[in-house]
Amino acid sequence: MENQVIGPGPYRATKLWNETIRLFRGGMPLRRHWAHFRCYDCSFTGTEAVDYLHNLLRDNHNFGPEVTRYQTLQLLRKFLKAHVIEDVKGRHGTEDFEDNGHLYRFPTLSPLKSFPARPVIKDCSDLPRLIRWDDYEELPQQENFVPVKSAVLTSDLWNKRHSVAIGDVHECKLIRRKEITSKQVDHIWKSMTVAHLQRVLGLKTLDGVLNPAHVNGKHIVHNVFSVNKAGIVVLENKAEDMPYWVVTAMKCLANWPNGNESKQPVYPGFERDVLRTVADYYQRLKEPLLTFHLYEVFVNILSLLPVQEAASEALQVSCLLLPPPNRRRLQLLLRLMARVCQNPQLPPLNDTIATRTLMVQMFSQCVLGSADDMDLDELLATKLVTFMMEHHNTIFQVPAKLRCQVEEHLSHLKRAQIKYAGADTDFSASPAFYKQISRVECEEQRVIGTQTPLQQLLEGLIADKELPAKDKRKRLKQFQKSYPEVYHSRFPTEESKAAVIPEKTPRLKPNLMFFSIKKPFQPFQRSWSFRA
């Protein structure tokens, strides 16, 4: 059967459930079995089903080799409950699937899950609007937004705004935007982080994946800046932090055998009791660490795991959306899991299960889970947590590209602007929504949009008969220096320039031979006068 990788998109968990049923029904070997002196065609035993489905899941890119036989058995029990399969007597739901010779079969029609109805989007964009230079303290509401009329750029207005180029600066004033508030900084981080996440996931929309209303800008800012030297989030409210005894237990395991700070007596099986203490704390949390609201976001990241760089960046952005207490608990947990798996001095923590498998099985459902208890939660959580544990040093770093974009935007908002007297049209007011274009298109629009008014300005300067020739040459020279492309397109040759620009009247240098008067040298004579 085709091993299809389910790409990112809304309700990916439901798509995976339906795809798994399709592969199982299409590939499971069926044959004749005898039970209690009766013959049952197109049937299979419980053990045969576990064997086949276990291999199917391990070879499937959506799940991977970390899937255990026990997890496969649990999934088949869900299949029986959902009437994906039934026993040969037609019973389902109340019976428990067993890994033995009991006979099962597929019903005539296998129910596939339907996708939940998507919420109606009121706005044309599901991304929060980015604050612009002309925004002020209170953010405008979308429902009260009035479209800005497009400004018509006339030659007069262009003369006023670009009078510097021709050396005639009229009255102007320097204006600065009001001081940016912390609320606006939070909003900028939120809008740019959500937009960055959408690009990393490769989605045209976040509809059905993430509701921006569930994203808190303060959480993002806190996760970026309030960290210690190790990059772990520091909480302002210590009441939200983990209990001291849990942190002590985690340090004990992470630094084994030198982590017993409390000097507790070490006995055989001590390390297993310490691990059980940590597991009890995490398993009693009311909500998975990645939260219910972000469930679809992290399930979509699963499709990016084959490309490590893309998956790591997506996790970096997504983990910024977590509440700081959740991010701190997750960081400490993943670091503990990685150290325990890499510590050769730590005794085995289970008699039958390898330490790595044990750690993933024990904590995966504490990390990822849905509010509706999706049927594939355990398998999806296993795959995601395995990747996060292996790359825990990377996924909690702030994406350099995102940080740079936010800092550039904040720097732009703090810049001053020159406003010329008479320039009543406000060109700083830009539309509420933007359409991303390529760099080439941007350059074309810039050239086309600025050269036409500049050409009109140059022609008006040439045709101005009241301007003295000296001043005209001076301003044309300044125009040439400021806009060389426009100037050279108008005057490609010296002949074309001489035809319209008055030349300087040559000034004759005085001949010293005609103006020098030679007088004989007379010594200085002082005259004296006396008054009676």
Side-chain angles (χ1 to χ4, degrees):
M1 291 298 294
E2 178 186 0
N3 186 0
Q4 180 182 357
V5 178
I6 304 298
Y11 315 118
R12 186 173 183 271
T14 303
K15 294 177 182 177
L16 283 173
W17 170 264
N18 291 342
E19 178 65 13
T20 304
I21 293 175
R22 185 182 71 82
L23 293 175
F24 180 54
R25 284 177 59 92
M28 178 66 202
L30 305 177
R31 61 188 181 88
R32 177 179 297 178
H33 289 85
W34 289 85
H36 304 292
F37 305 103
R38 289 192 60 180
C39 175
Y40 297 96
D41 292 326
C42 299
S43 61
F44 52 87
T45 66
T47 300
E48 291 171 346
V50 175
D51 289 340
Y52 176 80
L53 185 58
H54 187 210
N55 291 330
L56 175 67
L57 295 175
R58 287 171 59 88
D59 295 338
N60 191 291
H61 295 294
N62 296 304
F63 303 102
E66 298 292 336
V67 178
T68 64
R69 187 176 181 87
Y70 177 76
Q71 290 174 328
T72 306
L73 177 61
Q74 293 293 97
L75 179 58
L76 283 166
R77 288 172 177 170
K78 293 180 179 181
F79 280 178
L80 182 61
K81 185 178 180 180
H83 202 192
V84 175
I85 59 177
E86 62 185 13
D87 70 2
V88 290
K89 295 182 179 180
R91 294 175 296 187
H92 65 90
T94 57
E95 300 294 320
D96 200 7
F97 185 91
E98 298 294 340
D99 185 2
N100 55 24
H102 195 76
L103 296 181
Y104 299 91
R105 67 188 181 190
F106 291 114
T108 306
L109 296 177
S110 179
L112 297 179
K113 288 190 175 182
S114 58
F115 297 105
R118 298 187 183 184
V120 179
I121 302 298
K122 297 180 180 179
D123 198 358
C124 63
S125 173
D126 53 2
L127 298 178
R129 186 177 70 84
L130 190 61
I131 297 177
R132 303 186 305 273
W133 197 95
D134 52 317
D135 288 327
Y136 288 90
E137 300 301 327
E138 294 297 328
L139 297 177
Q141 300 297 324
Q142 290 289 348
E143 54 267 20
N144 298 328
F145 170 73
V146 179
V148 180
K149 294 182 178 180
S150 58
V152 179
L153 196 62
T154 62
S155 297
D156 249 3
L157 184 55
W158 194 268
N159 286 340
K160 293 174 183 177
R161 293 178 65 85
H162 291 267
S163 55
V164 175
I166 58 176
D168 185 13
V169 181
H170 297 289
E171 293 183 8
C172 64
K173 59 180 180 178
L174 196 66
I175 61 174
R176 185 182 296 274
R177 191 190 183 282
K178 292 183 179 180
E179 193 68 24
I180 301 176
T181 65
S182 59
K183 179 180 178 181
Q184 290 173 328
V185 172
D186 295 344
H187 183 85
I188 290 171
W189 270 101
K190 171 182 175 177
S191 57
M192 299 192 76
T193 302
V194 173
H196 192 78
L197 175 63
Q198 179 176 325
R199 289 194 296 271
V200 171
L201 292 178
L203 299 176
K204 295 181 179 179
T205 176
L206 291 176
D207 180 21
V209 176
L210 174 65
N211 184 353
H214 295 151
V215 179
N216 190 323
K218 288 185 178 180
H219 292 169
I220 300 175
V221 174
H222 187 101
N223 292 334
V224 171
F225 298 104
S226 299
V227 296
N228 59 20
K229 294 181 179 179
I232 298 176
V233 173
V234 178
L235 301 180
E236 298 177 356
N237 185 3
K238 298 303 180 182
E240 297 178 339
D241 205 350
M242 302 169 61
Y244 174 76
W245 54 270
V246 177
V247 177
T248 303
M250 296 178 74
K251 288 182 179 179
C252 178
L253 280 179
N255 302 312
W256 185 274
N258 303 316
N260 191 5
E261 296 180 354
S262 59
K263 305 301 180 182
Q264 294 288 336
V266 179
Y267 50 86
F270 174 78
E271 65 283 347
R272 299 187 181 187
D273 289 342
V274 175
L275 176 61
R276 195 173 297 111
T277 299
V278 177
D280 287 343
Y281 170 77
Y282 277 95
Q283 290 170 358
R284 291 177 182 177
L285 295 176
K286 297 180 180 179
E287 185 180 28
L289 294 176
L290 298 182
T291 73
F292 293 138
H293 292 313
L294 299 178
Y295 174 78
E296 283 289 343
V297 173
F298 286 97
V299 169
N300 274 270
I301 294 176
L302 288 170
S303 63
L304 303 177
L305 295 189
V307 185
Q308 178 180 331
E309 184 177 351
S312 297
E313 184 178 5
L315 286 170
Q316 287 175 348
V317 181
S318 302
C319 288
L320 286 177
L321 309 181
L322 295 174
N326 289 43
R327 182 180 171 95
R328 176 176 172 81
R329 292 186 181 97
L330 181 61
Q331 284 180 286
L332 294 176
L333 175 61
L334 293 176
R335 188 172 69 164
L336 169 68
M337 294 172 64
R339 289 189 178 183
V340 167
C341 294
Q342 297 169 0
N343 188 354
Q345 300 183 32
L346 189 65
L349 299 174
N350 190 280
D351 295 332
T352 58
I353 305 177
T355 300
R356 175 187 171 88
T357 304
L358 175 67
M359 298 299 290
V360 173
Q361 287 185 4
M362 185 174 288
F363 294 106
S364 59
Q365 290 185 294
C366 306
V367 176
L368 179 68
S370 62
D372 301 329
D373 190 21
M374 298 292 290
D375 297 303
L376 294 177
D377 278 356
E378 187 175 353
L379 298 178
L380 299 179
T382 297
K383 186 174 180 64
L384 181 65
V385 171
T386 300
F387 183 90
M388 296 180 74
M389 180 181 67
E390 294 172 348
H391 303 89
H392 70 98
N393 287 326
T394 303
I395 62 177
F396 290 107
Q397 297 175 4
V398 180
K401 185 176 180 181
L402 173 62
R403 184 194 286 267
C404 181
Q405 289 174 344
V406 174
E407 289 176 353
E408 286 181 357
H409 187 74
L410 290 173
S411 175
H412 170 71
L413 294 179
K414 296 175 182 177
R415 292 174 187 161
Q417 186 186 55
I418 297 177
K419 187 176 181 65
Y420 294 90
D424 50 350
T425 307
D426 187 7
F427 283 89
S428 64
S430 51
F433 305 105
Y434 298 89
K435 178 183 178 181
Q436 187 175 4
I437 61 175
S438 66
R439 186 180 295 274
V440 176
E441 291 174 326
C442 177
E443 185 66 20
E444 291 177 353
Q445 293 184 12
R446 184 187 68 80
V447 174
I448 296 173
T450 57
Q451 283 195 353
T452 302
L454 285 172
Q455 289 169 354
Q456 295 175 358
L457 176 63
L458 180 59
E459 293 297 335
L461 184 60
I462 295 172
D464 190 352
K465 297 182 179 180
E466 297 181 1
L467 190 65
K470 180 180 178 181
D471 293 340
K472 179 179 292 189
R473 286 193 300 271
K474 181 179 179 181
R475 296 188 183 184
L476 286 172
K477 187 175 181 180
Q478 292 175 340
F479 187 98
Q480 179 184 10
K481 185 177 180 180
S482 300
Y483 307 106
E485 295 179 358
V486 180
Y487 187 86
H488 289 301
S489 65
R490 178 62 176 84
F491 302 115
T493 62
E494 288 296 328
E495 290 76 10
S496 60
K497 176 180 176 182
V500 295
I501 300 178
E503 297 183 356
K504 291 184 179 180
T505 304
R507 296 178 59 185
L508 296 177
K509 294 184 179 180
N511 192 339
L512 297 179
M513 295 295 296
F514 296 102
F515 289 92
S516 62
I517 303 175
K518 296 183 179 179
K519 294 183 179 180
F521 174 76
Q522 296 179 358
F524 175 75
Q525 297 180 357
R526 178 178 296 177
S527 60
W528 301 89
S529 61
F530 298 91
R531 294 181 61 183

